[in-house]
């Protein structure tokens, strides 16, 4: 099986540049035997910087770049010449990338805006030349500062998929099929659990050239919040969605119970997820007649807007799209 191109987790070693040493130089020219101190400052060491790039959707370009080292600053020189700053290393990452300290797990920052830049590691400051230390009581200082050393360490970069609507459900609930019908995305589809092993994104066209992004999140199982199944690896992607669309097939033994389990896993992972706008789509309803739908509707969980859909026949998809658009507009207005 070919390795996936979707990489949402990388661990890299980064080292910023050392600052250049300040110069201890005394001006000596013909006819100016005692020109005084003229040592310049050292240059700053290079930073390690993360920059948001909206054209990137994965961290695969960093998967094999395990060591990132910035350039050292140059030493100062005579005639008050400052050393050149070390060249910064700019790592472009997808929007929604979180940087963490690999040892402590502490979240350092998140890149969410196009072109946003944040320093992961600062380069060492350049040392001051001896000209800086000249004073009325010390006309000829014969010392200068060394440059500060840079920093280094292991860091984890995690990607949370940015999408307007996230599809939430157990494996084989029809999420990938729905995404393929409502957008141009072509996720892998088969009749067995865990067909989707990575998030898939699709752009859903709406009226008047408007659109929204839908994400097919790999299926949740009971115990996912504790790491079972695909576990925590993909639950974090749901945090970036504005609206959560729960999908449960019509042939489920107990739709209300499955919904409660899904909701419980989200709550255990992050209680704030329960504040997001939620909708329920009962999929695979082409196998139901009107009487069965009426009977099933009476058993659906309370407090959540629901719709019967069939990706196979197209039933309910227009209504679902309208519901999602309305939910997104209401969410954006809050």
């Amino acid at each position: 099986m070919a390795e996936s191109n979707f990489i949402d987790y990388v661990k890299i070693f980064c080292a910023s540049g050392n600052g250049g040493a300040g110069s201890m130089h005394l001006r000596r020219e013909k006819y100016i035997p005692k020109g005084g101190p003229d040592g310049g400052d050292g240059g700053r060491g290079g930073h390690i910087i993360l920059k948001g790039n909206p054209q990137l959707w994965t961290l695969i370009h960093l998967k094999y770049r395990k060591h990132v080292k910035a350039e050292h600053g140059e030493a100062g020189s005579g005639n008050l010449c400052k050393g050149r700053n070390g060249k910064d290393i700019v790592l472009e990452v997808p929007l929604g990338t979180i940087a963490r300290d690999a040892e402590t797990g502490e979240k350092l920052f998140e890149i969410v805006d196009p072109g946003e830049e944040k320093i992961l590691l600062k380069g060492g400051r350049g040392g001051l030349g001896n000209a800086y230390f000249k004073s009325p009581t010390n006309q000829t200082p014969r010392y200068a500062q060394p440059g500060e050393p840079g920093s280094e360490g292991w860091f984890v970069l995690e990607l949370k998929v940015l999408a307007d609507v996230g599809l939430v459900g157990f494996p084989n609930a029809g999420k990938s099929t729905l995404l393929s019908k409502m957008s141009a995305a072509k996720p892998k589809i088969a009749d067995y659990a865990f067909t989707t092993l990575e998030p898939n994104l699709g752009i859903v066209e709406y009226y008047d050239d408007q659109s929204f992004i839908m994400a097919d999140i790999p299926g949740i199982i009971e115990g996912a919040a504790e790491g079972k199944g695909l576990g925590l690896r993909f639950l974090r992607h749901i945090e970036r969605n504005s609206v959560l669309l729960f999908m449960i097939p019509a042939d489920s033994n107990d739709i209300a119970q499955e919904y409660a389990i899904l909701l419980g896993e989200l709550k255990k992972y992050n209680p704030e997820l329960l504040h997001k706008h939620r909708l329920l789509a009962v999929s695979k309803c082409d196998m139901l007649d009107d009487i069965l739908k009426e009977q099933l509707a009476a058993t659906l969980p309370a407090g959540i807007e629901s719709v019967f859909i069939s990706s196979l026949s197209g039933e309910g998809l227009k209504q679902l799209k309208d519901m999602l658009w309305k939910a997104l507009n209401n969410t954006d207005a809050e």
Side-chain angles (χ1 to χ4, degrees):
M1 180 178 174
E3 188 175 5
S4 170
N5 287 331
F6 183 84
I7 302 297
D8 60 353
Y9 179 100
V10 294
K11 185 178 181 180
I12 57 176
F13 177 83
C14 296
S16 59
N18 298 331
S23 171
M24 201 299 293
H25 189 270
L26 300 176
R27 184 181 179 191
R28 291 292 183 265
E29 297 181 28
K30 191 175 182 181
Y31 307 120
I32 310 177
K34 296 182 179 180
D38 68 345
D41 300 338
R44 168 184 61 77
H47 298 322
I48 306 293
I49 298 173
L50 299 189
K51 181 179 181 180
N53 184 342
Q55 302 302 316
L56 296 177
W57 295 94
T58 173
L59 295 169
I60 191 171
H61 60 295
L62 298 176
K63 181 179 180 182
Y64 302 106
R65 190 175 180 180
K66 294 299 184 183
H67 292 79
V68 180
K69 296 184 178 181
E71 191 178 53
H72 299 316
E74 290 186 351
S77 58
N79 200 25
L80 299 177
C81 290
K82 181 180 179 180
R84 182 174 62 85
N85 290 338
K87 185 178 180 181
D88 297 332
I89 298 294
V90 179
L91 303 176
E92 295 194 339
V93 295
L95 305 186
T97 298
I98 292 176
R100 297 184 186 276
D101 185 297
E103 292 187 6
T104 65
E106 176 190 1
K107 177 180 174 179
L108 303 177
F109 56 79
E110 183 174 2
I111 300 292
V112 295
D113 297 318
E116 179 182 5
E117 293 187 1
K118 291 192 175 179
I119 297 176
L120 184 64
L121 274 182
K122 287 187 176 181
R125 290 186 299 181
L128 299 172
N130 66 337
Y132 178 85
F133 299 102
K134 180 179 178 181
S135 68
T137 58
N138 188 2
Q139 293 288 323
T140 313
R142 297 179 181 273
Y143 51 85
Q145 276 185 337
E148 289 185 354
S151 304
E152 62 180 36
W154 285 93
F155 297 89
V156 167
L157 302 182
E158 295 178 348
L159 173 62
K160 291 183 181 179
V161 168
L162 289 167
D164 299 307
V165 178
L167 302 180
V168 181
F170 289 113
N172 204 23
K175 301 186 299 297
S176 298
T177 305
L178 177 66
L179 183 67
S180 68
K181 293 295 183 180
M182 295 187 67
S183 73
K186 301 299 178 186
K188 181 182 177 182
I189 300 171
D191 191 23
Y192 55 84
F194 294 119
T195 304
T196 302
L197 298 177
E198 60 191 48
N200 292 297
L201 298 178
I203 298 177
V204 180
E205 300 292 340
Y206 200 61
Y207 302 111
D208 301 325
D209 296 325
Q210 298 179 100
S211 62
F212 56 89
I213 298 176
M214 179 180 285
D216 170 20
I217 309 298
I220 298 173
I221 66 170
E222 190 169 5
E226 285 83 37
K228 293 183 181 179
L230 298 176
L232 301 176
R233 182 180 174 191
F234 294 116
L235 274 174
R236 68 173 178 269
H237 293 301
I238 299 174
E239 295 183 84
R240 298 297 309 183
N241 306 144
S242 300
V243 174
L244 301 181
L245 176 60
F246 288 75
M247 289 191 63
I248 301 176
D251 57 358
S252 169
N253 292 330
D254 190 331
I255 293 179
Q257 183 182 16
E258 286 199 11
Y259 174 72
I261 294 173
L262 291 170
L263 210 57
E265 292 302 320
L266 298 188
K267 182 178 180 180
K268 283 187 283 186
Y269 174 70
N270 183 354
E272 293 184 4
L273 293 176
L274 301 189
H275 299 305
K276 292 182 178 292
H277 197 119
R278 303 190 299 271
L279 298 173
L280 172 63
V282 180
S283 60
K284 305 179 182 180
C285 73
D286 50 280
M287 63 181 74
L288 305 177
D289 57 25
D290 291 339
I291 296 177
L292 286 175
K293 287 179 186 176
E294 186 175 341
Q295 294 174 347
L296 195 58
T299 67
L300 296 181
I304 181 172
E305 192 176 3
S306 59
V307 59
F308 288 94
I309 65 168
S310 169
S311 299
L312 185 65
S313 66
E315 179 184 349
L317 297 189
K318 181 181 179 300
Q319 182 184 355
L320 174 61
K321 192 181 293 188
D322 290 338
M323 290 168 59
L324 291 172
W325 184 257
K326 180 181 177 181
L328 288 170
N329 287 339
N330 290 341
T331 300
D332 293 341
E334 292 176 355

